[in-house]
Amino acid sequence: MGHYPSLTKVATSLGIDARELASKKEIKGGIEGFSRINLERCALSLAESGKWDAFMDVLALIIYGIVLFPNVENFIDFAAIDIFLAFKHERKSPIPAILADTYHSFTLRHERRGGMILCCLPILYLWFTSYMFKRGSQIEIKNKSEWAHNITNLSEKTISWYSREQNIDEVVCQCGDFPNVPLMGTKGCVNYNPALAIRQLGYPIRIPPVEDSITPFMVYDMTKELDMLNKIRHSWDRVIKKGRELGKRNCYVEGSYQQWLSERVQHVKLPFRGPILIIEETTIQEPMSLEEIEKLKEELAKSEKEREDMKRELIQARQKYQEVQREISQARQRVELAN
């Protein structure tokens, strides 16, 4: 909400002297926080003193600031610290904030027509590759041109929409008076539209979404939008979830949604530059159940045994063939001697 924890609270939570922590505070680009190197030195000092609980907290805080909620390079700001403390003391999941920063960065870069994506890139990469590649396939190192060709050739048939291993029974579809799901991150607020992502959660899409449910909004400066922040925060007290009413899980699109999607793609798709390499589409099947996997394992073991038996028979046949050849050779020699 723009009101970050005091130095005293941070020091108490981390088990560090408040005066020592205050001496390490810095300001970069108008943002308060701590440099990575100072927190690493603090963690080493705690490890040498045998204060392992405090050491783990400082290490986790570094990960929050550098990996999960990056802002200024090698700098852990108070926004990341606030989320870490919310998890440590109240067990509030950081996932909504990570999702908010990802959508916020994408939307901001799209509106400004370029710039650096600033969010948790490892999780974004994992999410992207989990849909783009078959499960269990090896992801090779690619250059920019190869990535561009792969991305521009993505289609409905080449995307793995849903993994049964996720086992999602209910989906958050709406919060409070919002027609979708508002998210609050470290850099601003943005809404998430489940109506456009329901297929990735394993449920079919039959009709076009209601326009209100996909209307985007953005909050850029959280210090000036306190009323909106309060509305978003209170909306999470009334979360609306859906499960069975979404239909039987199959990840298909039906009815008039396909036509609506085609028209929307023409309206919002990003322009591709340069020639696009046409790659033959391959259908990616849904992941198999455990029973199917076990059955395949049994069939594979049976095939391996049959292969070994055939290999053994082939060796025996070759040995017999060689013996017959030797007998024929010896017979020929005897005939020649007799002649």
Side-chain angles (χ1 to χ4, degrees), residues 230-248:
N230 275 315
K231 183 179 178 182
I232 292 173
R233 182 170 63 85
H234 290 302
S235 71
W236 278 89
D237 295 331
R238 293 182 292 145
V239 175
I240 299 174
K241 298 181 179 181
K242 294 182 180 180
R244 293 182 178 178
E245 57 266 46
L246 294 174
K248 185 178 180 181

Side-chain angles (χ1 to χ4, degrees), residues 100-315:
D101 280 0
T102 303
Y103 278 119
H104 189 276
S105 184
F106 277 176
T107 306
L108 191 62
R109 297 281 72 83
H110 178 65
E111 289 181 353
R112 297 183 180 180
R113 299 184 180 278
M116 181 182 295
I117 296 175
L118 199 59
C119 60
C120 183
L121 293 180
I123 292 182
L124 178 61
Y125 177 79
L126 180 62
W127 170 84
F128 180 74
T129 55
S130 67
Y131 287 100
M132 185 173 174
F133 296 94
K134 291 182 179 179
R135 183 170 298 276
S137 63
Q138 183 177 1
I139 302 174
E140 301 176 352
I141 297 176
K142 302 179 185 294
N143 57 35
K144 291 183 179 179
S145 177
E146 290 171 332
W147 273 115
H149 286 149
N150 275 271
I151 294 172
T152 55
N153 282 280
L154 285 176
S155 70
E156 178 184 15
K157 295 181 180 180
T158 58
I159 295 175
S160 179
W161 288 100
Y162 176 72
S163 172
R164 295 180 185 177
E165 295 175 1
Q166 295 181 16
N167 193 27
I168 298 173
D169 294 325
E170 289 186 321
V171 177
V172 176
C173 295
Q174 186 178 343
C175 290
D177 296 330
F178 288 91
N180 37 40
V181 180
L183 300 170
M184 187 184 304
T186 62
K187 302 170 183 63
C189 300
V190 64
N191 63 337
Y192 158 63
N193 304 315
L196 297 177
I198 203 72
R199 194 178 182 186
Q200 299 174 34
L201 302 173
Y203 293 98
I205 303 180
R206 295 187 175 88
I207 59 175
V210 179
E211 193 64 29
D212 288 345
S213 69
I214 60 171
T215 302
F217 78 85
M218 287 272 287
V219 175
Y220 297 98
D221 189 350
M222 292 194 290
T223 61
K224 297 180 180 179
E225 300 284 348
L226 295 181
D227 290 340
M228 175 60 77
L229 298 186
N230 275 315
K231 183 179 178 182
I232 292 173
R233 182 170 63 85
H234 290 302
S235 71
W236 278 89
D237 295 331
R238 293 182 292 145
V239 175
I240 299 174
K241 298 181 179 181
K242 294 182 180 180
R244 293 182 178 178
E245 57 266 46
L246 294 174
K248 185 178 180 181
R249 188 168 292 154
N250 57 30
C251 306
Y252 295 146
V253 293
E254 304 171 1
S256 56
Y257 175 80
Q258 197 75 294
Q259 177 63 31
W260 175 88
L261 182 62
S262 299
E263 295 173 356
R264 182 175 177 83
V265 166
Q266 295 299 322
H267 177 68
V268 303
K269 72 177 182 178
L270 297 175
F272 296 122
R273 299 171 183 171
I276 298 176
L277 177 65
I278 303 300
I279 300 176
E280 184 179 353
E281 294 182 352
T282 56
T283 302
I284 299 177
Q285 298 179 352
E286 290 295 316
M288 296 178 292
S289 64
L290 292 177
E291 292 78 8
E292 292 172 327
I293 294 174
E294 289 299 326
K295 185 178 180 181
L296 283 178
K297 286 182 178 180
E298 292 176 359
E299 293 178 356
L300 180 60
K302 183 179 179 182
S303 299
E304 287 291 334
K305 185 178 182 304
E306 292 176 353
R307 187 176 70 87
E308 290 297 327
D309 292 341
M310 293 177 66
K311 184 178 179 180
R312 194 179 305 109
E313 292 175 0
L314 178 61
I315 293 174

